[in-house]
Amino acid sequence: MTRTLPSPVAAGPDERFGPRLWGLLLVLAGNMLIDALEVSVAVVALPAIGTDLGQPPTVTQWAMTGFAAGFGGLLLFGARVVTLLGRRRVYLAALLAFAAASALSALAHDPWLLLATRLLKGFCAALTAPTGLAIITSTFPEGRPRSRAVSVYTLFGAGGFTAGLLLSGWLTETSWRWAFAFPAPVVLLLFACGLRLIPGSPRSDQSSAPRGRGAVLDMRLPPRGRDQPSRRRTMATAARRYDIPGALTFLGALLALVQGITQLPTHNWTAPAAIAPLTAAALLLLAFWQIERRSAAPLLNIGPSLRSNPALIRSAAGAACLNGSYLGLLFVLTYQTQTLARWSPLHAALALLPAAAPPALTALASGRLVARFGAPRLIVAGAACAFAGGLLQLRPHAWPLDYPGRMLPTLLLVGAAFVLSFAALNMQAMSRLTPADRLTGSGLYQTAVQLAAVLAVALVAALLAAHAPAPGAGPAAAAAACRPALTLVAALGLLGLFVGLTGLIRTSPSSLHHGD
Protein backbone atom coordinates (compact mmCIF):
# COMPACT_ATOMS: atom_id res chain seq x y z
CA MET A 1 0.00 0.00 0.00
CA THR A 2 1.23 3.49 -0.85
CA ARG A 3 0.83 5.63 2.23
CA THR A 4 0.31 9.39 2.44
CA LEU A 5 1.74 9.49 5.95
CA PRO A 6 5.24 8.45 7.01
CA SER A 7 5.44 4.86 8.15
CA PRO A 8 6.35 4.46 11.84
CA VAL A 9 9.63 2.79 12.68
CA ALA A 10 11.16 1.56 15.89
CA ALA A 11 11.95 4.40 18.25
CA GLY A 12 15.49 5.03 19.36
CA PRO A 13 16.74 7.00 22.35
CA ASP A 14 17.50 10.05 20.17
CA GLU A 15 14.09 10.22 18.45
CA ARG A 16 12.28 12.22 21.12
CA PHE A 17 11.78 15.85 20.27
CA GLY A 18 12.11 18.56 22.85
CA PRO A 19 9.92 21.43 24.09
CA ARG A 20 10.64 23.64 21.08
CA LEU A 21 9.42 21.05 18.59
CA TRP A 22 6.40 20.31 20.77
CA GLY A 23 5.62 24.03 20.81
CA LEU A 24 5.91 24.21 17.02
CA LEU A 25 3.63 21.20 16.66
CA LEU A 26 0.98 22.75 18.92
CA VAL A 27 1.06 25.98 16.89
CA LEU A 28 0.64 24.15 13.60
CA ALA A 29 -1.96 21.68 14.88
CA GLY A 30 -3.86 24.43 16.71
CA ASN A 31 -4.15 26.43 13.52
CA MET A 32 -5.23 23.32 11.61
CA LEU A 33 -8.01 22.86 14.16
CA ILE A 34 -9.15 26.47 13.65
CA ASP A 35 -9.17 25.99 9.87
CA ALA A 36 -11.19 22.78 10.16
CA LEU A 37 -13.87 24.19 12.45
CA GLU A 38 -14.62 27.22 10.25
CA VAL A 39 -17.19 25.33 8.15
CA SER A 40 -19.03 23.74 11.07
CA VAL A 41 -19.13 27.08 12.88
CA ALA A 42 -21.17 28.49 10.02
CA VAL A 43 -23.51 25.46 9.76
CA VAL A 44 -25.19 25.99 13.12
CA ALA A 45 -25.11 29.80 12.96
CA LEU A 46 -26.84 30.15 9.56
CA PRO A 47 -30.44 30.55 10.83
CA ALA A 48 -29.35 33.13 13.41
CA ILE A 49 -27.41 35.04 10.73
CA GLY A 50 -30.47 35.08 8.47
CA THR A 51 -32.70 36.37 11.27
CA ASP A 52 -30.24 39.06 12.38
CA LEU A 53 -29.43 40.32 8.88
CA GLY A 54 -32.92 39.75 7.49
CA GLN A 55 -31.68 37.54 4.64
CA PRO A 56 -33.02 34.29 3.09
CA PRO A 57 -31.01 31.03 2.91
CA THR A 58 -29.85 31.89 -0.61
CA VAL A 59 -27.88 34.79 0.92
CA THR A 60 -26.85 33.31 4.25
CA GLN A 61 -25.37 30.29 2.46
CA TRP A 62 -22.45 32.58 1.55
CA ALA A 63 -21.22 32.19 5.13
CA MET A 64 -20.47 28.54 4.27
CA THR A 65 -19.69 28.74 0.58
CA GLY A 66 -17.56 31.88 0.94
CA PHE A 67 -15.01 30.09 3.11
CA ALA A 68 -15.01 27.00 0.87
CA ALA A 69 -14.66 29.19 -2.25
CA GLY A 70 -11.69 31.05 -0.77
CA PHE A 71 -10.10 27.76 0.22
CA GLY A 72 -10.75 25.69 -2.88
CA GLY A 73 -10.73 28.50 -5.42
CA LEU A 74 -7.36 29.84 -4.29
CA LEU A 75 -5.63 26.69 -3.08
CA LEU A 76 -3.38 26.34 -6.13
CA PHE A 77 -2.63 30.06 -6.08
CA GLY A 78 -1.80 29.81 -2.38
CA ALA A 79 0.75 27.10 -3.11
CA ARG A 80 2.39 29.42 -5.63
CA VAL A 81 2.50 32.29 -3.11
CA VAL A 82 4.13 30.05 -0.48
CA THR A 83 6.70 28.82 -2.99
CA LEU A 84 7.67 32.34 -4.06
CA LEU A 85 7.63 34.12 -0.70
CA GLY A 86 8.60 31.36 1.72
CA ARG A 87 6.72 29.34 4.32
CA ARG A 88 7.44 31.36 7.44
CA ARG A 89 6.60 34.76 5.99
CA VAL A 90 3.36 33.60 4.38
CA TYR A 91 2.24 31.49 7.33
CA LEU A 92 2.63 34.33 9.83
CA ALA A 93 0.98 36.87 7.52
CA ALA A 94 -1.94 34.49 6.98
CA LEU A 95 -2.42 34.15 10.72
CA LEU A 96 -2.69 37.92 11.13
CA ALA A 97 -5.09 38.22 8.20
CA PHE A 98 -7.21 35.39 9.58
CA ALA A 99 -7.50 37.09 12.97
CA ALA A 100 -8.46 40.41 11.37
CA ALA A 101 -11.05 38.74 9.14
CA SER A 102 -12.55 36.94 12.16
CA ALA A 103 -13.03 40.22 13.99
CA LEU A 104 -14.52 41.94 10.93
CA SER A 105 -16.93 39.09 10.20
CA ALA A 106 -18.26 39.31 13.75
CA LEU A 107 -18.96 43.03 13.24
CA ALA A 108 -20.56 42.66 9.79
CA HIS A 109 -24.03 44.12 9.33
CA ASP A 110 -23.97 43.65 5.57
CA PRO A 111 -24.00 40.18 3.96
CA TRP A 112 -21.38 41.18 1.38
CA LEU A 113 -18.90 42.22 4.08
CA LEU A 114 -19.52 38.85 5.70
CA LEU A 115 -18.82 37.16 2.36
CA ALA A 116 -15.59 39.14 1.87
CA THR A 117 -14.27 38.17 5.29
CA ARG A 118 -15.20 34.52 4.77
CA LEU A 119 -13.39 34.53 1.42
CA LEU A 120 -10.32 36.00 3.08
CA LYS A 121 -10.39 33.38 5.82
CA GLY A 122 -10.69 30.63 3.22
CA PHE A 123 -7.65 32.00 1.39
CA CYS A 124 -5.72 32.12 4.66
CA ALA A 125 -6.60 28.47 5.26
CA ALA A 126 -5.40 27.67 1.73
CA LEU A 127 -2.06 29.21 2.71
CA THR A 128 -1.64 27.61 6.14
CA ALA A 129 -3.22 24.13 5.97
CA PRO A 130 -0.86 22.56 3.38
CA THR A 131 2.07 24.68 4.58
CA GLY A 132 1.73 23.35 8.11
CA LEU A 133 2.14 19.78 6.90
CA ALA A 134 5.12 20.81 4.76
CA ILE A 135 6.78 22.42 7.80
CA ILE A 136 6.28 19.21 9.77
CA THR A 137 7.80 16.99 7.10
CA SER A 138 10.85 19.25 6.73
CA THR A 139 11.41 20.00 10.45
CA PHE A 140 10.69 16.81 12.39
CA PRO A 141 13.17 13.92 12.13
CA GLU A 142 12.20 11.16 9.75
CA GLY A 143 10.74 8.04 11.31
CA ARG A 144 8.72 7.78 14.49
CA PRO A 145 9.00 11.48 15.53
CA ARG A 146 7.64 12.68 12.19
CA SER A 147 4.93 10.02 12.18
CA ARG A 148 3.88 11.09 15.68
CA ALA A 149 3.80 14.76 14.63
CA VAL A 150 1.70 14.04 11.53
CA SER A 151 -0.70 11.96 13.65
CA VAL A 152 -1.23 14.85 16.07
CA TYR A 153 -1.70 17.24 13.15
CA THR A 154 -4.24 14.89 11.54
CA LEU A 155 -6.12 14.36 14.80
CA PHE A 156 -6.51 18.10 15.38
CA GLY A 157 -7.75 18.55 11.83
CA ALA A 158 -10.25 15.70 12.12
CA GLY A 159 -11.53 16.99 15.45
CA GLY A 160 -11.97 20.54 14.20
CA PHE A 161 -15.36 19.99 12.60
CA THR A 162 -16.77 18.41 15.77
CA ALA A 163 -15.31 21.17 17.95
CA GLY A 164 -16.80 23.79 15.64
CA LEU A 165 -20.29 22.35 15.99
CA LEU A 166 -20.12 22.39 19.78
CA LEU A 167 -18.56 25.84 20.07
CA SER A 168 -20.90 27.36 17.53
CA GLY A 169 -23.96 25.84 19.18
CA TRP A 170 -22.88 27.15 22.57
CA LEU A 171 -21.80 30.62 21.43
CA THR A 172 -24.72 31.17 19.06
CA GLU A 173 -27.02 30.81 22.06
CA THR A 174 -25.74 34.30 22.93
CA SER A 175 -25.01 35.63 19.45
CA TRP A 176 -23.75 34.22 16.15
CA ARG A 177 -21.18 37.03 16.19
CA TRP A 178 -19.33 35.38 19.07
CA ALA A 179 -19.11 32.17 17.04
CA PHE A 180 -17.33 34.09 14.29
CA ALA A 181 -15.17 36.23 16.61
CA PHE A 182 -13.70 33.63 18.96
CA PRO A 183 -10.93 32.43 16.57
CA ALA A 184 -9.36 35.93 16.54
CA PRO A 185 -7.66 35.87 19.99
CA VAL A 186 -6.72 32.21 19.57
CA VAL A 187 -5.02 32.87 16.24
CA LEU A 188 -3.24 35.93 17.64
CA LEU A 189 -1.83 33.73 20.40
CA LEU A 190 -0.69 31.21 17.77
CA PHE A 191 0.93 34.08 15.84
CA ALA A 192 2.84 35.26 18.93
CA CYS A 193 4.15 31.73 19.53
CA GLY A 194 4.82 31.21 15.83
CA LEU A 195 7.12 34.24 15.69
CA ARG A 196 9.59 32.32 17.84
CA LEU A 197 8.90 28.78 16.67
CA ILE A 198 8.07 28.65 12.95
CA PRO A 199 11.25 28.04 10.93
CA GLY A 200 12.09 29.56 7.58
CA SER A 201 11.98 27.65 4.31
CA PRO A 202 14.85 25.18 3.97
CA ARG A 203 17.50 26.06 1.41
CA SER A 204 16.97 22.73 -0.25
CA ASP A 205 13.58 23.94 -1.41
CA GLN A 206 15.20 26.67 -3.47
CA SER A 207 18.02 24.55 -4.82
CA SER A 208 15.60 21.85 -5.96
CA ALA A 209 13.08 24.18 -7.59
CA PRO A 210 11.75 22.78 -10.87
CA ARG A 211 12.91 24.18 -14.17
CA GLY A 212 11.03 24.72 -17.40
CA ARG A 213 7.28 25.14 -17.79
CA GLY A 214 5.67 25.89 -14.43
CA ALA A 215 9.04 26.54 -12.74
CA VAL A 216 9.22 29.10 -9.95
CA LEU A 217 11.91 31.72 -10.45
CA ASP A 218 13.81 33.75 -7.89
CA MET A 219 11.64 36.72 -6.95
CA ARG A 220 14.38 38.77 -5.29
CA LEU A 221 14.78 41.87 -7.41
CA PRO A 222 18.16 43.60 -7.78
CA PRO A 223 18.42 47.31 -7.03
CA ARG A 224 16.97 49.44 -9.76
CA GLY A 225 19.49 51.11 -11.96
CA ARG A 226 19.93 52.26 -15.50
CA ASP A 227 19.86 48.69 -16.82
CA GLN A 228 16.85 47.58 -14.81
CA PRO A 229 13.32 47.32 -16.26
CA SER A 230 10.67 49.84 -15.29
CA ARG A 231 8.61 49.31 -12.14
CA ARG A 232 5.51 48.74 -14.27
CA ARG A 233 7.26 45.99 -16.22
CA THR A 234 8.56 44.44 -12.99
CA MET A 235 5.05 44.35 -11.52
CA ALA A 236 3.71 42.77 -14.71
CA THR A 237 6.43 40.11 -14.59
CA ALA A 238 5.64 39.38 -10.93
CA ALA A 239 1.93 39.07 -11.74
CA ARG A 240 2.73 36.51 -14.45
CA ARG A 241 4.92 34.50 -12.10
CA TYR A 242 2.20 34.40 -9.46
CA ASP A 243 -0.46 33.90 -12.17
CA ILE A 244 -2.69 36.49 -10.51
CA PRO A 245 -4.91 36.80 -13.62
CA GLY A 246 -5.52 33.06 -13.55
CA ALA A 247 -6.36 33.07 -9.84
CA LEU A 248 -8.75 36.03 -10.13
CA THR A 249 -10.61 34.72 -13.16
CA PHE A 250 -11.08 31.27 -11.60
CA LEU A 251 -12.32 32.69 -8.29
CA GLY A 252 -14.53 35.20 -10.09
CA ALA A 253 -16.09 32.46 -12.21
CA LEU A 254 -16.84 30.39 -9.11
CA LEU A 255 -18.47 33.29 -7.26
CA ALA A 256 -20.48 34.34 -10.32
CA LEU A 257 -21.72 30.76 -10.78
CA VAL A 258 -22.90 30.55 -7.17
CA GLN A 259 -24.58 33.95 -7.43
CA GLY A 260 -26.39 32.87 -10.61
CA ILE A 261 -27.55 29.61 -9.02
CA THR A 262 -28.98 31.36 -5.97
CA GLN A 263 -30.81 33.94 -8.13
CA LEU A 264 -32.76 31.33 -10.09
CA PRO A 265 -35.46 30.69 -7.44
CA THR A 266 -36.66 34.31 -7.56
CA HIS A 267 -35.94 34.99 -11.25
CA ASN A 268 -36.42 32.95 -14.40
CA TRP A 269 -33.59 31.89 -16.67
CA THR A 270 -33.96 34.96 -18.89
CA ALA A 271 -34.01 37.56 -16.10
CA PRO A 272 -30.89 39.77 -15.99
CA ALA A 273 -30.34 39.04 -12.28
CA ALA A 274 -29.87 35.35 -13.10
CA ILE A 275 -28.48 35.30 -16.63
CA ALA A 276 -25.87 38.02 -16.04
CA PRO A 277 -23.86 36.18 -13.34
CA LEU A 278 -24.18 32.85 -15.18
CA THR A 279 -22.92 34.44 -18.39
CA ALA A 280 -20.11 36.12 -16.46
CA ALA A 281 -19.15 32.74 -14.96
CA ALA A 282 -18.91 31.18 -18.43
CA LEU A 283 -16.83 34.07 -19.79
CA LEU A 284 -14.49 34.06 -16.81
CA LEU A 285 -13.96 30.32 -17.10
CA LEU A 286 -13.11 30.78 -20.78
CA ALA A 287 -10.68 33.56 -19.87
CA PHE A 288 -9.11 31.36 -17.20
CA TRP A 289 -8.60 28.55 -19.72
CA GLN A 290 -6.96 30.94 -22.18
CA ILE A 291 -4.70 32.42 -19.50
CA GLU A 292 -3.57 29.01 -18.30
CA ARG A 293 -3.01 27.74 -21.83
CA ARG A 294 -0.71 30.66 -22.68
CA SER A 295 1.05 31.06 -19.34
CA ALA A 296 4.66 29.97 -18.89
CA ALA A 297 3.88 29.13 -15.24
CA PRO A 298 0.19 28.10 -15.07
CA LEU A 299 -1.55 27.25 -11.84
CA LEU A 300 -3.05 24.19 -13.53
CA ASN A 301 0.14 22.61 -14.81
CA ILE A 302 -1.47 19.24 -15.56
CA GLY A 303 0.88 16.95 -17.41
CA PRO A 304 0.05 13.71 -19.26
CA SER A 305 0.77 11.61 -16.17
CA LEU A 306 -1.95 13.40 -14.20
CA ARG A 307 -4.48 13.40 -17.03
CA SER A 308 -4.05 9.66 -17.48
CA ASN A 309 -4.25 8.83 -13.77
CA PRO A 310 -7.64 7.12 -13.23
CA ALA A 311 -7.08 6.64 -9.49
CA LEU A 312 -6.68 10.39 -8.96
CA ILE A 313 -9.70 11.26 -11.14
CA ARG A 314 -11.98 8.71 -9.48
CA SER A 315 -10.84 9.67 -6.00
CA ALA A 316 -11.40 13.39 -6.63
CA ALA A 317 -14.88 12.71 -8.03
CA GLY A 318 -15.77 10.36 -5.16
CA ALA A 319 -14.51 12.75 -2.48
CA ALA A 320 -16.36 15.64 -4.13
CA CYS A 321 -19.63 13.68 -4.05
CA LEU A 322 -19.09 12.65 -0.44
CA ASN A 323 -18.25 16.15 0.80
CA GLY A 324 -20.98 17.82 -1.27
CA SER A 325 -23.71 15.46 -0.10
CA TYR A 326 -22.51 15.73 3.52
CA LEU A 327 -22.55 19.53 3.72
CA GLY A 328 -25.73 19.75 1.67
CA LEU A 329 -27.44 17.39 4.11
CA LEU A 330 -26.24 19.38 7.12
CA PHE A 331 -27.58 22.57 5.52
CA VAL A 332 -31.05 21.01 5.12
CA LEU A 333 -31.07 19.48 8.60
CA THR A 334 -30.04 22.78 10.17
CA TYR A 335 -32.94 24.45 8.35
CA GLN A 336 -35.34 21.78 9.57
CA THR A 337 -34.21 21.72 13.19
CA GLN A 338 -33.83 25.45 13.82
CA THR A 339 -36.12 27.21 11.32
CA LEU A 340 -38.96 24.66 11.26
CA ALA A 341 -38.75 22.79 14.57
CA ARG A 342 -37.45 25.85 16.51
CA TRP A 343 -34.64 23.97 18.24
CA SER A 344 -32.01 26.06 19.96
CA PRO A 345 -28.56 26.32 18.29
CA LEU A 346 -26.97 24.17 21.00
CA HIS A 347 -29.72 21.56 20.69
CA ALA A 348 -29.24 21.47 16.91
CA ALA A 349 -25.45 21.21 17.26
CA LEU A 350 -25.71 18.29 19.65
CA ALA A 351 -28.18 16.61 17.30
CA LEU A 352 -25.65 16.79 14.44
CA LEU A 353 -22.77 15.30 16.45
CA PRO A 354 -23.39 11.67 15.37
CA ALA A 355 -22.29 12.68 11.87
CA ALA A 356 -19.22 14.65 12.99
CA ALA A 357 -17.81 12.75 15.96
CA PRO A 358 -17.07 9.29 14.42
CA PRO A 359 -14.54 10.59 11.84
CA ALA A 360 -12.67 12.45 14.58
CA LEU A 361 -12.64 9.47 16.94
CA THR A 362 -11.35 7.05 14.29
CA ALA A 363 -8.93 9.36 12.44
CA LEU A 364 -5.80 7.59 13.67
CA ALA A 365 -7.15 4.14 12.76
CA SER A 366 -7.98 5.01 9.14
CA GLY A 367 -4.62 3.86 7.81
CA ARG A 368 -5.04 0.44 9.42
CA LEU A 369 -8.53 0.10 7.91
CA VAL A 370 -7.18 0.76 4.43
CA ALA A 371 -4.29 -1.66 4.98
CA ARG A 372 -6.67 -4.44 6.00
CA PHE A 373 -9.57 -4.02 3.57
CA GLY A 374 -8.12 -2.03 0.67
CA ALA A 375 -9.15 1.46 -0.44
CA PRO A 376 -11.57 0.43 -3.26
CA ARG A 377 -13.74 -1.70 -0.95
CA LEU A 378 -13.86 0.95 1.75
CA ILE A 379 -14.75 3.66 -0.78
CA VAL A 380 -17.72 1.63 -2.03
CA ALA A 381 -18.88 0.83 1.50
CA GLY A 382 -18.67 4.48 2.53
CA ALA A 383 -20.50 5.69 -0.58
CA ALA A 384 -23.23 3.10 0.04
CA CYS A 385 -23.68 4.44 3.59
CA ALA A 386 -23.91 8.04 2.34
CA PHE A 387 -26.48 7.07 -0.30
CA ALA A 388 -28.52 5.07 2.23
CA GLY A 389 -28.58 8.08 4.55
CA GLY A 390 -29.89 10.29 1.76
CA LEU A 391 -32.60 7.75 0.86
CA LEU A 392 -33.68 7.50 4.49
CA GLN A 393 -34.38 11.24 4.55
CA LEU A 394 -36.59 10.92 1.47
CA ARG A 395 -38.94 8.46 3.18
CA PRO A 396 -42.39 10.04 3.73
CA HIS A 397 -42.99 11.01 7.33
CA ALA A 398 -45.34 12.98 9.51
CA TRP A 399 -44.42 16.03 11.52
CA PRO A 400 -42.95 16.65 14.13
CA LEU A 401 -39.34 15.89 13.27
CA ASP A 402 -38.53 12.27 14.15
CA TYR A 403 -35.00 12.37 15.52
CA PRO A 404 -34.48 8.80 16.89
CA GLY A 405 -36.26 7.02 14.04
CA ARG A 406 -35.17 9.12 11.07
CA MET A 407 -32.57 11.83 11.63
CA LEU A 408 -30.25 9.91 13.96
CA PRO A 409 -29.89 6.86 11.67
CA THR A 410 -29.15 9.19 8.76
CA LEU A 411 -26.43 10.99 10.70
CA LEU A 412 -24.89 7.70 11.83
CA LEU A 413 -24.80 6.46 8.25
CA VAL A 414 -23.15 9.66 7.05
CA GLY A 415 -20.62 9.49 9.88
CA ALA A 416 -19.86 5.89 8.93
CA ALA A 417 -19.37 6.99 5.31
CA PHE A 418 -16.60 9.36 6.35
CA VAL A 419 -15.00 6.79 8.66
CA LEU A 420 -14.88 4.20 5.89
CA SER A 421 -14.01 6.15 2.79
CA PHE A 422 -12.58 9.63 3.32
CA ALA A 423 -9.05 8.53 4.22
CA ALA A 424 -9.27 5.73 1.64
CA LEU A 425 -10.13 8.27 -1.08
CA ASN A 426 -7.16 10.41 -0.05
CA MET A 427 -4.75 7.48 -0.06
CA GLN A 428 -6.05 6.14 -3.37
CA ALA A 429 -5.67 9.58 -4.96
CA MET A 430 -2.00 9.73 -3.97
CA SER A 431 -1.22 6.06 -4.57
CA ARG A 432 -0.02 6.31 -8.17
CA LEU A 433 1.42 9.82 -8.22
CA THR A 434 5.10 10.27 -8.90
CA PRO A 435 7.03 12.52 -6.47
CA ALA A 436 7.11 15.23 -9.16
CA ASP A 437 3.30 15.15 -9.52
CA ARG A 438 2.39 14.76 -5.86
CA LEU A 439 2.10 18.45 -5.02
CA THR A 440 -0.04 19.30 -8.06
CA GLY A 441 -2.14 16.16 -7.72
CA SER A 442 -2.84 16.83 -4.05
CA GLY A 443 -3.83 20.42 -4.87
CA LEU A 444 -6.25 19.29 -7.57
CA TYR A 445 -7.78 16.70 -5.24
CA GLN A 446 -8.33 19.19 -2.42
CA THR A 447 -9.68 21.78 -4.85
CA ALA A 448 -12.29 19.32 -6.10
CA VAL A 449 -13.39 18.55 -2.53
CA GLN A 450 -13.84 22.23 -1.67
CA LEU A 451 -15.54 23.20 -4.93
CA ALA A 452 -18.09 20.43 -4.39
CA ALA A 453 -18.93 22.00 -1.04
CA VAL A 454 -19.45 25.38 -2.70
CA LEU A 455 -21.73 24.16 -5.47
CA ALA A 456 -23.69 21.61 -3.41
CA VAL A 457 -24.58 24.10 -0.67
CA ALA A 458 -25.53 26.75 -3.24
CA LEU A 459 -27.80 24.30 -5.09
CA VAL A 460 -29.41 23.10 -1.85
CA ALA A 461 -30.08 26.69 -0.76
CA ALA A 462 -31.59 27.48 -4.18
CA LEU A 463 -33.88 24.42 -4.04
CA LEU A 464 -35.05 25.30 -0.53
CA ALA A 465 -35.88 28.82 -1.69
CA ALA A 466 -37.56 27.67 -4.91
CA HIS A 467 -39.90 25.28 -3.07
CA ALA A 468 -40.51 27.40 0.01
CA PRO A 469 -44.05 26.87 1.36
CA ALA A 470 -46.71 29.53 1.08
CA PRO A 471 -47.06 31.99 3.98
CA GLY A 472 -49.05 30.47 6.80
CA ALA A 473 -48.34 26.86 5.81
CA GLY A 474 -47.80 24.42 8.62
CA PRO A 475 -44.47 22.83 9.58
CA ALA A 476 -45.38 19.59 7.78
CA ALA A 477 -45.79 21.46 4.47
CA ALA A 478 -42.48 23.21 5.06
CA ALA A 479 -40.78 19.88 5.75
CA ALA A 480 -42.23 18.45 2.52
CA ALA A 481 -40.76 21.43 0.66
CA CYS A 482 -37.29 20.12 1.64
CA ARG A 483 -37.70 17.01 -0.53
CA PRO A 484 -36.14 18.49 -3.71
CA ALA A 485 -33.03 19.53 -1.77
CA LEU A 486 -32.84 16.12 -0.12
CA THR A 487 -33.24 14.49 -3.53
CA LEU A 488 -30.15 16.37 -4.69
CA VAL A 489 -28.25 15.10 -1.63
CA ALA A 490 -29.30 11.52 -2.38
CA ALA A 491 -28.36 11.96 -6.05
CA LEU A 492 -24.85 13.05 -5.07
CA GLY A 493 -24.61 9.97 -2.86
CA LEU A 494 -25.71 7.75 -5.76
CA LEU A 495 -23.13 9.35 -8.06
CA GLY A 496 -20.41 8.76 -5.46
CA LEU A 497 -21.47 5.10 -5.21
CA PHE A 498 -21.31 4.73 -8.99
CA VAL A 499 -17.81 6.22 -9.08
CA GLY A 500 -16.69 3.88 -6.27
CA LEU A 501 -18.12 0.81 -7.99
CA THR A 502 -16.36 1.78 -11.22
CA GLY A 503 -13.07 1.87 -9.36
CA LEU A 504 -13.75 -1.45 -7.64
CA ILE A 505 -14.57 -3.19 -10.92
CA ARG A 506 -11.48 -1.82 -12.67
CA THR A 507 -9.10 -2.64 -9.82
CA SER A 508 -7.28 -5.95 -10.09
CA PRO A 509 -7.94 -8.41 -7.22
CA SER A 510 -4.28 -8.48 -6.26
CA SER A 511 -4.23 -4.75 -5.55
CA LEU A 512 -7.41 -4.60 -3.43
CA HIS A 513 -5.39 -5.36 -0.30
CA HIS A 514 -2.88 -2.62 -1.02
CA GLY A 515 -5.20 0.35 -1.29
CA ASP A 516 -4.46 1.00 -4.98
Side-chain angles (χ1 to χ4, degrees):
M1 179 188 68
T2 302
R3 296 175 60 90
T4 56
L5 304 181
S7 302
V9 297
D14 58 341
E15 290 185 335
R16 297 179 181 178
F17 41 87
R20 186 175 182 84
L21 283 182
W22 271 114
L24 172 63
L25 179 58
L26 290 178
V27 169
L28 300 176
N31 186 63
M32 182 61 182
L33 185 144
I34 294 292
D35 289 343
L37 61 77
E38 276 298 315
V39 176
S40 55
V41 160
V43 170
V44 179
L46 286 178
I49 295 172
T51 301
D52 187 23
L53 301 183
Q55 300 294 333
T58 51
V59 175
T60 57
Q61 57 85 26
W62 282 111
M64 284 182 65
T65 57
F67 180 82
F71 196 157
L74 296 173
L75 185 61
L76 296 174
F77 175 68
R80 178 70 55 82
V81 171
V82 173
T83 303
L84 291 172
L85 297 181
R87 297 173 186 169
R88 172 182 167 84
R89 182 188 307 175
V90 172
Y91 198 97
L92 292 174
L95 289 178
L96 283 181
F98 193 99
S102 296
L104 284 175
S105 63
L107 299 174
H109 290 278
D110 183 276
W112 302 114
L113 176 59
L114 183 60
L115 166 61
T117 57
R118 296 292 289 172
L119 276 172
L120 178 57
K121 293 175 81 170
F123 179 45
C124 292
L127 293 171
T128 58
T131 305
L133 186 58
I135 292 174
I136 288 176
T137 55
S138 64
T139 304
F140 287 80
E142 186 176 359
R144 189 176 181 86
R146 186 182 298 174
S147 180
R148 186 189 307 132
V150 172
S151 296
V152 172
Y153 190 75
T154 303
L155 182 62
F156 272 61
F161 197 93
T162 306
L165 281 178
L166 293 174
L167 283 171
S168 181
W170 175 50
L171 294 172
T172 306
E173 292 280 324
T174 303
S175 172
W176 66 269
R177 299 181 184 278
W178 285 110
F180 281 69
F182 84 88
V186 178
V187 173
L188 287 177
L189 177 61
L190 294 176
F191 172 80
C193 298
L195 282 174
R196 295 180 57 86
L197 297 172
I198 295 177
S201 298
R203 292 184 179 181
S204 59
D205 287 356
Q206 298 176 3
S207 62
S208 61
R211 304 298 178 188
R213 180 174 171 84
V216 175
L217 304 179
D218 190 359
M219 291 296 295
R220 292 174 294 179
L221 299 177
R224 266 194 80 188
R226 188 178 304 173
D227 298 331
Q228 298 302 322
S230 65
R231 185 177 302 275
R232 181 178 300 177
R233 185 181 302 176
T234 299
M235 293 176 63
T237 302
R240 287 195 299 270
R241 290 174 178 174
Y242 283 96
D243 197 6
I244 294 176
L248 292 179
T249 51
F250 183 71
L251 179 62
L254 182 60
L255 296 178
L257 180 59
V258 173
Q259 177 65 10
I261 290 172
T262 56
Q263 289 299 309
L264 289 176
T266 53
H267 303 85
N268 58 41
W269 285 93
T270 58
I275 196 64
L278 292 176
T279 303
L283 293 175
L284 287 169
L285 279 177
L286 180 61
F288 171 72
W289 179 74
Q290 290 290 342
I291 290 170
E292 295 300 287
R293 188 170 65 90
R294 299 176 181 178
S295 175
L299 294 178
L300 285 175
N301 190 13
I302 305 176
S305 59
L306 288 177
R307 290 194 298 267
S308 61
N309 189 327
L312 174 62
I313 296 172
R314 287 196 304 267
S315 299
C321 291
L322 180 63
N323 198 43
S325 63
Y326 178 66
L327 292 178
L329 176 65
L330 293 187
F331 191 97
V332 178
L333 294 181
T334 301
Y335 174 80
Q336 287 184 334
T337 54
Q338 294 193 61
T339 304
L340 301 182
R342 303 295 179 184
W343 292 7
S344 69
L346 182 57
H347 188 183
L350 292 173
L352 296 177
L353 275 185
L361 296 175
T362 60
L364 298 183
S366 57
R368 292 193 293 272
L369 279 175
V370 176
R372 180 172 181 180
F373 298 103
R377 291 194 181 106
L378 289 177
I379 290 170
V380 170
C385 289
F387 179 49
L391 286 181
L392 184 58
Q393 282 297 301
L394 288 174
R395 188 183 62 187
H397 71 291
W399 197 260
L401 188 64
D402 182 8
Y403 183 79
R406 180 186 180 88
M407 186 172 168
L408 178 60
T410 295
L411 294 171
L412 290 173
L413 284 169
V414 172
F418 264 81
V419 169
L420 292 171
S421 63
F422 200 71
L425 285 163
N426 194 350
M427 293 181 181
Q428 180 180 261
M430 302 297 109
S431 63
R432 298 180 183 176
L433 292 179
T434 64
D437 289 333
R438 193 159 294 164
L439 181 60
T440 303
S442 176
L444 292 173
Y445 175 84
Q446 294 297 335
T447 298
V449 172
Q450 296 301 324
L451 295 189
V454 174
L455 296 178
V457 171
L459 287 168
V460 164
L463 288 172
L464 288 176
H467 297 85
C482 297
R483 286 186 63 83
L486 291 171
T487 301
L488 172 65
V489 170
L492 286 173
L494 178 60
L495 180 59
L497 178 59
F498 173 77
V499 172
L501 287 172
T502 302
L504 183 62
I505 293 171
R506 294 185 178 182
T507 303
S508 61
S510 61
S511 64
L512 286 176
H513 297 285
H514 298 279
D516 295 338

